[in-house]
Amino acid sequence: MKGAKKRVLIVDDEVSFTRLLKLNLEQSDGYEVQTVNAPLTALAEARRFQPELILLDVMMPDLPGGDVAAQLLADPALRHVPIIFLTAAIKKAEVSACGGLVGGLPFVAKPVEMKELRRVLDAYLA
Amino acid sequence: MTEVEKRYAELMDHLPVGVYRNTPGDEGRFLEANPELVAMFEAESREQLLGCRVNDLYVDPGQRKVFCEKILRHGFVREHELELKTLKGRRLLAEVNATLKRDKGGELYIDGVIADVTERKRAEADLRRACAELARSQKALKSTMRQLLASRDQLEQAQLGLIQAARFESVATLAAGVAHEVKNPLQIILMGVDYLDANLPPESGDLAGVVGDIREAARRANAIIREILELSVAARLDRREADMNAVVERSLTLVHYEAQAARVQVVRDLAPSLPPVLIDTVKIEQVLINLFLNSLQAMAQGGRLTVSTRVERARDAVRSNGASTVGEGGEHQFVAVEVRDNGPGIPRELLPKVFDPFFSTKPVGVGTGLGLAVVRKIIDLHEATIDLANGAEGGVRVAMRFRARSPTTSVMPVPDAPKRQRTAIRPASRKAAILEAR
């Protein structure tokens, strides 16, 4: 993957989480990560960063993840960027019971360990 | 008339009972009658009464014959009851005390007193009826009391159940709220641990152990949270027609490695051609996996895990809202699933508690105490039954019964069996992946 870092945008209001996830992903050299803790700025940051994948929290103040996703999907330049919801609001069993998709969108249930999250990202970014 | 005769005549005239003298036999007639007797038989005068046959005063002349035979045999009668009638036809019940006499000429006659006991007898009959009624009421009261006591017992049981259910629900709801809030900090801990782990210097010794311990603790906390959440969200069932044997097989596949690692032999005793059941297959798999893992953990030194299915017929054993298979005589068809192990079993005094939340016989840190509570909740939601007991030959025996659906009453489509694989990722549409980590 060297030389072709995958750009991942993380939108989550938990500063500690986004910081640690960024550190974990970037130390592998395979990812270039941008974090957003204020969901109202997510669309602008996505337009600027042009990510190849977006990890999006669901329950956030000011703007829920579903609304952020709607904004991103409405943008012609971002419409085809895969969005994965990463949330504590749903259980792993519920996610797996409906084939990893909730309302047609992929979900990953928190808490998730890096080993598992990397597999999901690799599957999407392959 | 002498003074003595006058006194006796006066006594006779004023006695409040009828005093008479008459002759026995069919043609017997009154020879003497006091005013009370005249009044008793509603005669216009003493002469009118003396002029009639004694037989004419009997409702049933046969009674007169019996009376005469009795007094001729014994010489007297005491408290002899007769059904008589007045000259005007009014009936009365009389009680007679009489003695047989013989005059100087050798003729027989009877001296007696008659009391009108009509009212007394009616009162006695009323009393008897009242007593009988009272006895019936008493019996009914006793029966009602028994029913009331039984109802009270049932009510107490229901109350206990409700209190337990309410406590369970409130604990589950509260715990679920807390659990959800705990997930985010737990996620940060796991991310931090992952980062530390990846950046540990070589030969870090104890540091690697500490990081590993933190990861295990976080995983354990996560397992507890997951089961707490199961308690609160298990209510959302996605029930479809399914083949229980297929659900059992999938569940066994998911514990295949654990069974191998525990050197446990898995025995399948599955009845062919089970009728379909209306279940949430994911949740019933969860139930079976939970039971299998409990058994595997109980047989740490190896053993045998037996899973059997069969069709049972019974009446009203399980309530169900779904269309059910009703056999002859109102019987229902059930699919029974039994999970048996040959581990050490559960101490008898602990058996009533096994389905309580946070109850566990496993060592601290191994069990969350929520597994069987979740199992019970899922089974209850399916309106099925579950019984956990020690087997006759040792080990634990868990028996479940699900109401069967008639193969001809297919209401919901039978979906393809969901393909699940543990800790595996499979791309789905939109390059989605399933992440499943139990």
Side-chain angles (χ1 to χ4, degrees):
Chain A
M1 279 210 235
K2 193 146 182 146
K5 285 187 178 179
K6 301 289 185 185
R7 290 190 309 283
V8 176
L9 180 71
I10 307 168
V11 184
D12 195 309
D13 61 310
E14 283 272 2
V15 178
S16 308
F17 171 66
T18 53
R19 184 166 59 84
L20 282 164
L21 183 52
K22 180 180 163 73
L23 282 170
N24 273 305
L25 287 173
E26 287 189 339
Q27 72 182 353
S28 70
D29 266 0
Y31 299 96
E32 182 185 347
V33 177
Q34 184 65 40
T35 63
V36 173
N37 299 120
L40 288 170
T41 65
L43 180 63
E45 192 57 38
R47 281 174 177 158
R48 190 195 65 74
F49 183 60
Q50 289 296 310
E52 289 160 88
L53 187 140
I54 299 168
L55 282 172
L56 183 55
D57 188 21
V58 174
M59 289 161 79
M60 293 184 289
D62 302 329
L63 195 62
D67 293 351
V68 174
Q71 286 181 352
L72 295 168
L73 292 170
D75 189 302
L78 298 168
R79 182 175 298 154
H80 303 293
V81 180
I83 297 169
I84 298 175
F85 285 105
L86 187 57
T87 175
I90 194 161
K91 296 184 298 123
K92 289 188 199 313
E94 290 171 314
V95 173
S96 57
C98 48
L101 300 174
V102 181
L105 291 168
F107 271 71
V108 170
K110 281 183 186 174
V112 60
E113 294 186 39
M114 277 313 299
K115 202 171 157 188
E116 296 160 352
L117 186 59
R118 274 205 195 91
R119 285 181 186 169
V120 178
L121 296 181
D122 288 346
Y124 271 83
L125 294 169
Chain B
M1 192 182 283
T2 64
E3 190 58 35
V4 174
E5 286 172 337
K6 268 186 186 175
R7 283 211 299 274
Y8 274 104
E10 195 180 325
L11 183 63
M12 288 282 281
D13 287 350
H14 292 94
L15 275 174
V17 291
V19 181
Y20 70 90
R21 172 173 294 173
N22 63 17
T23 52
D26 288 346
E27 294 302 318
R29 290 178 183 275
F30 283 105
L31 302 174
E32 293 293 342
N34 74 341
E36 179 65 23
L37 194 76
V38 172
M40 193 183 295
F41 287 102
E42 297 183 304
E44 297 293 331
S45 64
R46 178 173 172 271
E47 284 68 30
Q48 188 190 7
L49 187 62
L50 296 185
C52 69
R53 289 192 320 156
V54 178
N55 252 7
D56 294 338
L57 300 176
Y58 277 75
V59 172
D60 172 15
Q63 278 196 2
R64 166 73 174 162
K65 197 176 172 191
V66 171
F67 177 85
C68 289
E69 283 171 1
K70 191 174 175 183
I71 202 164
L72 287 172
R73 194 180 317 128
H74 298 293
F76 64 89
V77 292
R78 293 288 178 265
E79 296 177 352
H80 189 95
E81 282 185 17
L82 293 171
E83 198 177 359
L84 304 176
K85 60 184 179 185
T86 68
L87 295 180
K88 291 182 178 173
R90 182 175 60 83
R91 293 186 176 202
L92 61 101
L93 284 171
E95 191 176 85
V96 179
N97 285 286
T99 307
L100 186 68
K101 298 266 184 76
R102 194 183 290 273
D103 65 13
K104 288 175 185 170
E107 291 295 323
L108 291 172
Y109 64 90
I110 299 166
D111 279 347
V113 293
I114 299 181
D116 182 351
V117 295
T118 308
E119 285 307 314
R120 199 185 82 198
K121 289 291 170 187
R122 189 173 295 153
E124 280 175 3
D126 286 348
L127 193 63
R128 274 197 299 276
R129 271 197 299 276
C131 281
E133 187 62 35
L134 193 66
R136 274 197 297 275
S137 299
Q138 225 173 359
K139 200 175 166 188
L141 197 64
K142 276 183 184 169
S143 166
T144 308
M145 274 296 283
R146 274 197 300 275
Q147 285 172 355
L148 274 174
L149 287 171
S151 298
R152 191 193 63 183
D153 287 348
Q154 283 175 348
L155 197 65
E156 277 178 358
Q157 285 301 317
Q159 257 180 334
L160 277 175
L162 276 175
I163 289 167
Q164 210 165 18
R167 197 162 50 200
F168 183 86
E169 289 298 333
S170 57
V171 166
T173 306
L174 177 69
V178 173
H180 182 254
E181 290 307 312
V182 170
K183 274 186 183 181
N184 279 316
L186 204 56
Q187 174 70 84
I188 292 165
I189 292 171
L190 282 171
M191 283 285 130
V193 165
D194 278 332
Y195 186 70
L196 289 176
D197 197 28
N199 290 283
L200 280 174
E203 311 293 326
S204 53
D206 286 346
L207 276 180
V210 170
V211 168
D213 287 347
I214 296 172
R215 187 195 303 282
E216 275 314 302
R219 282 177 177 166
R220 216 164 72 206
N222 188 31
I224 294 170
I225 284 165
R226 196 170 57 226
E227 291 191 347
I228 287 174
L229 286 170
E230 284 297 340
L231 281 177
S232 59
V233 299
R236 294 201 293 272
L237 290 185
D238 180 17
R239 293 171 77 167
R240 285 158 192 265
E241 268 189 16
D243 172 18
M244 187 57 85
N245 283 343
V247 177
V248 168
E249 285 292 359
R250 273 199 303 276
S251 308
L252 282 172
T253 305
L254 296 175
V255 296
H256 175 70
Y257 294 110
E258 283 85 348
Q260 272 192 333
R263 299 192 307 284
V264 167
Q265 178 201 0
V266 175
V267 178
R268 291 166 171 81
D269 176 20
L270 308 180
S273 310
L274 286 179
V277 282
L278 189 65
I279 56 170
D280 183 325
T281 51
V282 172
K283 290 206 159 54
I284 296 303
E285 279 178 25
Q286 190 183 343
V287 164
L288 291 169
I289 290 167
N290 215 308
L291 298 175
F292 296 159
L293 291 177
N294 278 350
S295 287
L296 295 178
Q297 284 170 359
M299 297 185 287
Q301 306 305 314
R304 192 174 59 253
L305 172 69
T306 307
V307 190
S308 59
T309 58
R310 63 180 179 276
V311 182
E312 287 183 356
R313 286 181 172 77
R315 286 171 174 274
D316 302 317
V318 179
R319 289 176 294 109
S320 174
N321 296 328
S324 59
T325 305
V326 182
E328 284 179 15
E331 281 190 338
H332 297 292
Q333 243 186 357
F334 296 91
V335 170
V337 186
E338 195 171 282
V339 179
R340 295 191 303 275
D341 65 48
N342 61 350
I346 295 173
R348 188 188 293 178
E349 66 275 14
L350 299 182
L351 281 172
K353 297 180 182 173
V354 292
F355 291 111
D356 289 354
F358 304 110
F359 173 80
S360 178
T361 57
K362 297 171 190 169
V364 174
V366 176
T368 61
L370 285 169
L372 284 179
V374 172
V375 163
R376 180 58 172 272
K377 172 119 184 173
I378 291 172
I379 292 295
D380 285 350
L381 285 167
H382 281 83
E383 293 159 322
T385 61
I386 183 165
D387 289 303
L388 189 151
N390 286 319
E393 295 165 5
V396 169
R397 185 186 136 278
V398 183
M400 292 166 283
R401 287 213 304 182
F402 299 83
R403 185 173 279 206
R405 279 172 75 82
S406 162
T408 55
T409 56
S410 182
V411 176
M412 304 182 78
V414 183
D416 291 337
K419 297 177 179 63
R420 297 177 66 196
Q421 193 177 346
R422 302 184 70 187
T423 49
I425 303 161
R426 276 169 286 112
S429 61
R430 283 200 69 196
K431 295 184 190 172
I434 302 171
L435 175 71
E436 183 188 336
R438 270 186 64 84

